[in-house]
PDB file of all heavy atoms in Angstrom:
ATOM      1  N   GLU A 180       4.215 -32.382  12.168  1.00 86.00           N
ATOM      2  CA  GLU A 180       3.829 -33.785  12.347  1.00 86.00           C
ATOM      3  C   GLU A 180       2.331 -33.967  12.568  1.00 86.00           C
ATOM      4  O   GLU A 180       1.807 -35.068  12.429  1.00 86.00           O
ATOM      5  CB  GLU A 180       4.598 -34.387  13.515  1.00 86.00           C
ATOM      6  CG  GLU A 180       4.389 -33.653  14.835  1.00 86.00           C
ATOM      7  CD  GLU A 180       5.189 -34.271  15.963  1.00 86.00           C
ATOM      8  OE1 GLU A 180       5.266 -35.511  16.013  1.00 86.00           O
ATOM      9  OE2 GLU A 180       5.740 -33.503  16.778  1.00 86.00           O
ATOM     10  N   PHE A 181       1.635 -32.881  12.907  1.00 87.00           N
ATOM     11  CA  PHE A 181       0.197 -32.986  13.161  1.00 87.00           C
ATOM     12  C   PHE A 181      -0.646 -32.543  11.963  1.00 87.00           C
ATOM     13  O   PHE A 181      -1.860 -32.676  11.977  1.00 87.00           O
ATOM     14  CB  PHE A 181      -0.171 -32.144  14.382  1.00 87.00           C
ATOM     15  CG  PHE A 181       0.575 -32.523  15.624  1.00 87.00           C
ATOM     16  CD1 PHE A 181       1.598 -31.722  16.105  1.00 87.00           C
ATOM     17  CD2 PHE A 181       0.281 -33.706  16.292  1.00 87.00           C
ATOM     18  CE1 PHE A 181       2.301 -32.069  17.240  1.00 87.00           C
ATOM     19  CE2 PHE A 181       0.977 -34.068  17.433  1.00 87.00           C
ATOM     20  CZ  PHE A 181       2.002 -33.252  17.910  1.00 87.00           C
ATOM     21  N   GLY A 182      -0.010 -31.991  10.946  1.00 90.00           N
ATOM     22  CA  GLY A 182      -0.745 -31.523   9.774  1.00 90.00           C
ATOM     23  C   GLY A 182      -0.260 -30.171   9.298  1.00 90.00           C
ATOM     24  O   GLY A 182       0.940 -29.880   9.330  1.00 90.00           O
ATOM     25  N   CYS A 183      -1.209 -29.314   8.895  1.00 92.00           N
ATOM     26  CA  CYS A 183      -0.865 -28.005   8.325  1.00 92.00           C
ATOM     27  C   CYS A 183      -1.215 -26.876   9.291  1.00 92.00           C
ATOM     28  O   CYS A 183      -2.261 -26.915   9.947  1.00 92.00           O
ATOM     29  CB  CYS A 183      -1.616 -27.781   7.007  1.00 92.00           C
ATOM     30  SG  CYS A 183      -1.141 -28.910   5.685  1.00 92.00           S
ATOM     31  N   ASP A 184      -0.352 -25.874   9.347  1.00 93.00           N
ATOM     32  CA  ASP A 184      -0.632 -24.664  10.108  1.00 93.00           C
ATOM     33  C   ASP A 184      -1.625 -23.791   9.337  1.00 93.00           C
ATOM     34  O   ASP A 184      -1.826 -23.982   8.130  1.00 93.00           O
ATOM     35  CB  ASP A 184       0.652 -23.870  10.333  1.00 93.00           C
ATOM     36  CG  ASP A 184       1.640 -24.611  11.217  1.00 93.00           C
ATOM     37  OD1 ASP A 184       1.190 -25.385  12.083  1.00 93.00           O
ATOM     38  OD2 ASP A 184       2.864 -24.407  11.034  1.00 93.00           O
ATOM     39  N   PRO A 185      -2.234 -22.806   9.999  1.00 95.00           N
ATOM     40  CA  PRO A 185      -3.119 -21.863   9.284  1.00 95.00           C
ATOM     41  C   PRO A 185      -2.364 -21.122   8.180  1.00 95.00           C
ATOM     42  O   PRO A 185      -1.168 -20.855   8.298  1.00 95.00           O
ATOM     43  CB  PRO A 185      -3.573 -20.902  10.385  1.00 95.00           C
ATOM     44  CG  PRO A 185      -3.434 -21.681  11.648  1.00 95.00           C
ATOM     45  CD  PRO A 185      -2.240 -22.563  11.460  1.00 95.00           C
ATOM     46  N   GLU A 186      -3.082 -20.766   7.127  1.00 97.00           N
ATOM     47  CA  GLU A 186      -2.463 -20.044   6.020  1.00 97.00           C
ATOM     48  C   GLU A 186      -2.116 -18.621   6.424  1.00 97.00           C
ATOM     49  O   GLU A 186      -2.839 -17.984   7.186  1.00 97.00           O
ATOM     50  CB  GLU A 186      -3.414 -20.009   4.819  1.00 97.00           C
ATOM     51  CG  GLU A 186      -2.802 -19.377   3.576  1.00 97.00           C
ATOM     52  CD  GLU A 186      -3.770 -19.355   2.402  1.00 97.00           C
ATOM     53  OE1 GLU A 186      -4.645 -18.469   2.388  1.00 97.00           O
ATOM     54  OE2 GLU A 186      -3.656 -20.215   1.523  1.00 97.00           O
ATOM     55  N   ARG A 187      -0.980 -18.110   5.913  1.00 96.00           N
ATOM     56  CA  ARG A 187      -0.589 -16.720   6.139  1.00 96.00           C
ATOM     57  C   ARG A 187       0.063 -16.163   4.891  1.00 96.00           C
ATOM     58  O   ARG A 187       0.420 -16.914   3.972  1.00 96.00           O
ATOM     59  CB  ARG A 187       0.353 -16.598   7.338  1.00 96.00           C
ATOM     60  CG  ARG A 187       1.621 -17.431   7.244  1.00 96.00           C
ATOM     61  CD  ARG A 187       2.284 -17.513   8.620  1.00 96.00           C
ATOM     62  NE  ARG A 187       3.455 -18.361   8.633  1.00 96.00           N
ATOM     63  CZ  ARG A 187       4.703 -17.939   8.528  1.00 96.00           C
ATOM     64  NH1 ARG A 187       4.940 -16.634   8.356  1.00 96.00           N
ATOM     65  NH2 ARG A 187       5.722 -18.764   8.592  1.00 96.00           N
ATOM     66  N   GLU A 188       0.202 -14.849   4.845  1.00 97.00           N
ATOM     67  CA  GLU A 188       0.797 -14.167   3.696  1.00 97.00           C
ATOM     68  C   GLU A 188       2.234 -13.782   3.999  1.00 97.00           C
ATOM     69  O   GLU A 188       2.549 -13.322   5.090  1.00 97.00           O
ATOM     70  CB  GLU A 188       0.017 -12.891   3.360  1.00 97.00           C
ATOM     71  CG  GLU A 188      -1.390 -13.135   2.866  1.00 97.00           C
ATOM     72  CD  GLU A 188      -2.098 -11.841   2.513  1.00 97.00           C
ATOM     73  OE1 GLU A 188      -1.385 -10.838   2.252  1.00 97.00           O
ATOM     74  OE2 GLU A 188      -3.334 -11.813   2.519  1.00 97.00           O
ATOM     75  N   LEU A 189       3.089 -13.949   2.991  1.00 97.00           N
ATOM     76  CA  LEU A 189       4.457 -13.468   3.052  1.00 97.00           C
ATOM     77  C   LEU A 189       4.686 -12.547   1.859  1.00 97.00           C
ATOM     78  O   LEU A 189       4.311 -12.890   0.732  1.00 97.00           O
ATOM     79  CB  LEU A 189       5.461 -14.629   2.987  1.00 97.00           C
ATOM     80  CG  LEU A 189       5.433 -15.643   4.135  1.00 97.00           C
ATOM     81  CD1 LEU A 189       6.433 -16.761   3.849  1.00 97.00           C
ATOM     82  CD2 LEU A 189       5.735 -14.979   5.466  1.00 97.00           C
ATOM     83  N   VAL A 190       5.290 -11.380   2.103  1.00 96.00           N
ATOM     84  CA  VAL A 190       5.563 -10.422   1.032  1.00 96.00           C
ATOM     85  C   VAL A 190       7.046 -10.079   1.051  1.00 96.00           C
ATOM     86  O   VAL A 190       7.605  -9.752   2.102  1.00 96.00           O
ATOM     87  CB  VAL A 190       4.721  -9.136   1.204  1.00 96.00           C
ATOM     88  CG1 VAL A 190       5.061  -8.137   0.105  1.00 96.00           C
ATOM     89  CG2 VAL A 190       3.231  -9.468   1.173  1.00 96.00           C
ATOM     90  N   PHE A 191       7.684 -10.170  -0.124  1.00 97.00           N
ATOM     91  CA  PHE A 191       9.097  -9.864  -0.261  1.00 97.00           C
ATOM     92  C   PHE A 191       9.281  -8.722  -1.255  1.00 97.00           C
ATOM     93  O   PHE A 191       8.736  -8.758  -2.364  1.00 97.00           O
ATOM     94  CB  PHE A 191       9.879 -11.088  -0.746  1.00 97.00           C
ATOM     95  CG  PHE A 191       9.758 -12.284   0.162  1.00 97.00           C
ATOM     96  CD1 PHE A 191       8.933 -13.353  -0.182  1.00 97.00           C
ATOM     97  CD2 PHE A 191      10.456 -12.341   1.351  1.00 97.00           C
ATOM     98  CE1 PHE A 191       8.817 -14.450   0.648  1.00 97.00           C
ATOM     99  CE2 PHE A 191      10.348 -13.433   2.196  1.00 97.00           C
ATOM    100  CZ  PHE A 191       9.525 -14.494   1.850  1.00 97.00           C
ATOM    101  N   SER A 192      10.064  -7.721  -0.840  1.00 95.00           N
ATOM    102  CA  SER A 192      10.357  -6.593  -1.717  1.00 95.00           C
ATOM    103  C   SER A 192      11.593  -6.900  -2.560  1.00 95.00           C
ATOM    104  O   SER A 192      12.571  -7.460  -2.066  1.00 95.00           O
ATOM    105  CB  SER A 192      10.605  -5.333  -0.888  1.00 95.00           C
ATOM    106  OG  SER A 192      11.008  -4.269  -1.727  1.00 95.00           O
ATOM    107  N   HIS A 193      11.548  -6.505  -3.852  1.00 97.00           N
ATOM    108  CA  HIS A 193      12.647  -6.801  -4.774  1.00 97.00           C
ATOM    109  C   HIS A 193      13.145  -5.555  -5.505  1.00 97.00           C
ATOM    110  O   HIS A 193      13.807  -5.675  -6.538  1.00 97.00           O
ATOM    111  CB  HIS A 193      12.197  -7.844  -5.805  1.00 97.00           C
ATOM    112  CG  HIS A 193      11.690  -9.119  -5.204  1.00 97.00           C
ATOM    113  ND1 HIS A 193      12.516 -10.046  -4.613  1.00 97.00           N
ATOM    114  CD2 HIS A 193      10.430  -9.614  -5.079  1.00 97.00           C
ATOM    115  CE1 HIS A 193      11.804 -11.069  -4.160  1.00 97.00           C
ATOM    116  NE2 HIS A 193      10.529 -10.825  -4.430  1.00 97.00           N
ATOM    117  N   LEU A 194      12.844  -4.379  -4.979  1.00 95.00           N
ATOM    118  CA  LEU A 194      13.215  -3.159  -5.688  1.00 95.00           C
ATOM    119  C   LEU A 194      14.728  -3.040  -5.866  1.00 95.00           C
ATOM    120  O   LEU A 194      15.206  -2.540  -6.890  1.00 95.00           O
ATOM    121  CB  LEU A 194      12.672  -1.937  -4.950  1.00 95.00           C
ATOM    122  CG  LEU A 194      12.658  -0.616  -5.716  1.00 95.00           C
ATOM    123  CD1 LEU A 194      11.866  -0.733  -7.017  1.00 95.00           C
ATOM    124  CD2 LEU A 194      12.079   0.497  -4.847  1.00 95.00           C
ATOM    125  N   ASP A 195      15.495  -3.524  -4.886  1.00 95.00           N
ATOM    126  CA  ASP A 195      16.955  -3.466  -4.990  1.00 95.00           C
ATOM    127  C   ASP A 195      17.482  -4.329  -6.131  1.00 95.00           C
ATOM    128  O   ASP A 195      18.570  -4.072  -6.661  1.00 95.00           O
ATOM    129  CB  ASP A 195      17.605  -3.920  -3.685  1.00 95.00           C
ATOM    130  CG  ASP A 195      17.682  -2.793  -2.660  1.00 95.00           C
ATOM    131  OD1 ASP A 195      17.541  -1.624  -3.060  1.00 95.00           O
ATOM    132  OD2 ASP A 195      17.864  -3.089  -1.468  1.00 95.00           O
TER     133      ASP A 195
END
Side-chain angles (χ1 to χ4, degrees):
E180 58 181 320
F181 302 106
C183 295
D184 294 330
E186 185 180 79
R187 57 195 176 97
E188 294 182 22
L189 297 176
V190 178
F191 301 104
S192 175
H193 303 287
L194 195 57
D195 277 343

